[in-house]
Amino acid sequence: KQEVTQIPAALSVPEGENLVLNCSFTDSAIYNLQWFRQDPGKGLTSLLLIQSSQREQTSGRLNASLDKSSGRSTLYIAASQPGDSATYLCAVSISGGSNYKLTFGKGTLLTVNP
Amino acid sequence: DAEITQSPRHKITETGRQVTLACHQTWNHNNMFWYRQDLGHGLRLIHYSYGVHDTNKGEVSDGYSVSRSNTEDLPLTLESAASSQTSVYFCASSRAGTYNEQFFGPGTRLTVL
């Protein structure tokens, strides 16, 4: 059974700092990995999707990397801003017949202080 | 703009009542999913559908049912609501053949008293 772990559970940083959020998964036979952002009381917003054949994806100040062999992904946020404060969730789907089902980590709560 | 909507956004019901949560997407996506989100458990898959008349059980399907009569809608029914089903429910959809980038609705907060 695929398990996804996100460390740390919470992170507080001053504005302007570069930061890294971590995601690990137990089964390396993944179909894709998706990073989401969730604001309090809101739904999930897709940030980046990395296909199993890719090593990284970038969108603006965000860069996500994937190392399937070690079962790890990182989300790098450059020059953090207070507006980046949210919970960040990592989710993976596995290869094979169930490759559309996502397994989620419990998230990292990020606070960026002005 | 295409979107995914859920209704109601908030619902309070009593134990034993039947409750239906609506999910509607205008992206014409084949795949639709229902998740529940609880503190300490994160998001867990309840049911999913890969197309009209297709439904499948997820990780926590007991006490829930879905039906897919068209592409746009996947209603979630709680046959006899229990206090353990108090949660926030999210619907999501994705297009087949696109590496399954899932897009989420705003959620429904359900309280069972």
Side-chain angles (χ1 to χ4, degrees), chain B residues 27-41:
Chain B
W27 281 304
N28 201 35
H29 285 169
N30 294 86
N31 307 326
M32 295 185 72
F33 309 84
W34 274 105
Y35 297 87
R36 60 178 288 174
Q37 186 175 36
D38 305 285
L39 281 174
H41 289 281

Side-chain angles (χ1 to χ4, degrees), chain B residues 32-93:
Chain B
M32 295 185 72
F33 309 84
W34 274 105
Y35 297 87
R36 60 178 288 174
Q37 186 175 36
D38 305 285
L39 281 174
H41 289 281
L43 278 133
R44 292 178 291 174
L45 183 63
I46 305 171
H47 281 286
Y48 58 102
S49 168
Y50 290 157
V52 176
H53 302 310
D54 175 75
T55 61
N56 306 278
K57 294 181 179 181
E59 181 185 0
V60 289
S61 60
D62 287 348
Y64 303 94
S65 64
V66 293
S67 62
R68 186 94 179 267
S69 59
N70 59 52
T71 301
E72 296 79 19
D73 299 289
L74 187 70
L76 177 71
T77 297
L78 288 68
E79 301 292 344
S80 177
S83 58
S84 61
Q85 294 176 309
T86 293
S87 185
V88 181
Y89 292 86
F90 289 101
C91 179
S93 70

Side-chain angles (χ1 to χ4, degrees), chain A residues 32 34 38 46 100-101 106, chain B residues 37 40 97 99-102:
Chain A
N32 67 29
Q34 198 167 352
Q38 185 175 28
S46 178
Y100 291 136
K101 292 163 55 179
K106 294 180 181 178
Chain B
Q37 186 175 36
Y99 277 90
N100 189 41
E101 183 173 12
Q102 291 193 18

Side-chain angles (χ1 to χ4, degrees), chain A residues 26-93:
Chain A
T26 54
D27 187 343
S28 62
I30 66 169
Y31 183 65
N32 67 29
L33 184 145
Q34 198 167 352
W35 282 94
F36 295 89
R37 168 189 173 132
Q38 185 175 28
D39 293 289
K42 305 288 187 182
L44 280 68
T45 300
S46 178
L47 296 174
L48 290 164
L49 180 144
I50 307 178
Q51 300 170 19
S52 59
S53 58
Q54 296 176 324
R55 297 280 295 181
E56 65 178 327
Q57 280 284 354
T58 299
S59 176
R61 294 183 294 108
L62 305 179
N63 176 275
S65 67
L66 174 63
D67 184 342
K68 279 177 50 180
S69 61
S70 66
R72 294 182 181 179
S73 175
T74 61
L75 178 66
Y76 174 83
I77 302 177
S80 58
Q81 303 170 357
D84 294 330
S85 298
T87 298
Y88 290 81
L89 295 159
C90 163
V92 299
S93 61

